[in-house]
């Protein structure tokens, strides 16, 4: 697959799974993401940076290269004012299988078209491909939620909704309850006043790694890595931009959305947003390298 371009599924159609994630359940890979298969909204002759909500897609693969469309994991609701109606925003959906209940739990950024609602949305399914049943919108610990991800902490067994809050000023790690459908009240504030978004979190050798982008809408900017040995509030320190080589300063024209491991190799999944034709936004999967504890990501033409 050629990095930076639109990728095709096994039926030759553009993969529509933006702002997404790749998970492994029972030996199969699942890719969830925003289905942006519509023209951008035009208002007063101006092309807006959004499309009507078309659902959250689910693709399945045995090898991470050939992807089969499993349908909409979360479908839009044709009812004005509903959080899943076409005029709403649903971004960055992420899915975990809850060990306590066996259910598949999806959290996503739910918003109005002007991004002033900034809630987290919750949907639940019994199978990885869905259909996911919408449960509710939430303000985690009374904080707003814009860009977000889910993080299962292998060191403690706890799961977190990691979300940009305080109008993107702070990155919150809001701990999920045992059923992954609510919040315990434990909440760690990180990167205070740093204005970071698009969080990607993983643990390597006992160290929490948190990669974020700056807040420049759909325009690529500089990624930054923060690390810590504990999630305790405020202890995560910005370290460096781990991107290397030509184009690194603007994250190779992309924005990260997820990281996963396969056969001992860690990868980064990125979106190449096309602001005026969001449906044509491309993808990259780049290997993450470590030299000692120093992380780097270099461009590669192919995945
Ligand atoms: C950047 C975010 O990372 C995207 O998910 C989306 O919210 C855009 N901003 C909207 O401008």
């Amino acid at each position: 697959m050629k990095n930076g371009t639109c990728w095709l599924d096994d039926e030759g159609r553009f993969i529509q799974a933006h702002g997404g994630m790749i998970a492994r359940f029972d030996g199969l890979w699942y890719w969830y993401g925003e289905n942006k298969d519509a023209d951008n909204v035009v208002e007063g002759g101006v092309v807006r940076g959004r499309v009507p909500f078309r659902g959250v897609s689910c693709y399945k693969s045995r090898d991470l290269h050939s992807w089969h469309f499993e349908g909409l994991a979360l479908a839009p609701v044709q009812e004005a004012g509903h959080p899943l109606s076409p005029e709403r925003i649903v971004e960055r959906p992420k899915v975990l299988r809850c060990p306590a209940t066996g259910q598949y739990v999806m959290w996503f950024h739910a918003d109005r078209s002007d991004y002033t609602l900034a809630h987290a949305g919750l949907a639940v399914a019994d199978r990885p491909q869905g259909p996911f049943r919408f449960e509710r919108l939430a303000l985690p610990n009374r904080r707003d939620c814009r860009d977000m991800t889910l993080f299962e902490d292998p060191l403690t067994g706890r799961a977190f909704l990691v979300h940009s809050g305080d109008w993107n000023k702070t990155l919150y790690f809001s701990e999920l309850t045992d059923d992954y459908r609510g919040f315990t009240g434990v909440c760690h504030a990180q990167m205070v006043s740093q204005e970071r978004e698009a969080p990607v979190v993983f643990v390597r050798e006992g160290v929490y790694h948190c990669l974020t982008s700056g807040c420049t809408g759909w325009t690529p900017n500089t990624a930054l890595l923060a690390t810590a040995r504990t999630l305790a509030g405020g202890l995560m320190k910005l370290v460096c931009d781990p991107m290397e080589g030509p184009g690194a300063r603007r994250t190779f024209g992309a924005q990260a959305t997820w990281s996963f491991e396969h056969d001992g190799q860690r990868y980064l999944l990125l979106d190449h947003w096309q602001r005026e034709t969001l449906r044509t936004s491309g993808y990259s999967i780049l290997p993450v390298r470590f030299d000692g504890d120093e992380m780097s990501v270099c461009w590669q033409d192919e995945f």
Side-chain angles (χ1 to χ4, degrees), residues 215-288:
C215 297
T216 55
W218 302 107
T219 309
N221 56 52
T222 307
L224 286 178
L225 173 69
T227 61
R229 285 206 168 265
T230 160
L231 285 182
L235 291 183
M236 207 162 241
K237 295 279 183 287
L238 287 163
V239 176
C240 66
D241 174 3
M243 308 296 154
E244 283 185 5
R249 181 97 181 265
R250 298 279 177 271
T251 319
F252 315 114
Q255 187 184 33
T257 182
W258 186 251
S259 177
F260 62 96
E261 240 182 345
H262 177 40
D263 282 346
Q265 171 66 54
R266 179 160 289 284
Y267 295 94
L268 203 57
L269 172 66
L270 305 102
D271 295 291
H272 293 254
W273 299 114
Q274 303 299 321
R275 188 196 173 276
E276 303 214 330
T277 52
L278 282 165
R279 59 153 41 119
T280 68
S281 301
Y283 309 101
S284 290
I285 297 180
L286 299 174
V288 177

Side-chain angles (χ1 to χ4, degrees), residues 204-205 207 209 225 227 229 239-240 242 289-296:
R204 179 179 178 271
E205 294 181 356
V207 178
H209 288 62
L225 173 69
T227 61
R229 285 206 168 265
V239 176
C240 66
R289 306 209 189 283
F290 284 92
D291 182 3
D293 58 6
E294 225 168 81
M295 172 175 152
S296 62

Side-chain angles (χ1 to χ4, degrees), residues 34 91-92 109 115 147 197-198 217-218 255 273:
E34 304 155 26
E91 286 182 344
R92 297 189 175 266
H109 168 198
Y115 288 94
D147 275 13
E197 65 178 6
W218 302 107
Q255 187 184 33
W273 299 114

Side-chain angles (χ1 to χ4, degrees), residues 96-140:
L96 296 178
R97 177 160 59 191
C98 176
T101 64
Q103 283 187 314
Y104 297 84
V105 180
M106 178 189 291
W107 284 95
F108 54 89
H109 168 198
D111 225 317
R112 288 195 206 101
S113 59
D114 60 1
Y115 288 94
T116 56
L117 186 68
H119 277 52
L122 170 66
V124 176
D126 303 319
R127 306 181 312 159
Q129 64 272 45
F132 282 76
R133 298 176 299 279
F134 173 71
E135 290 211 338
R136 65 191 171 95
L137 296 185
L139 278 177

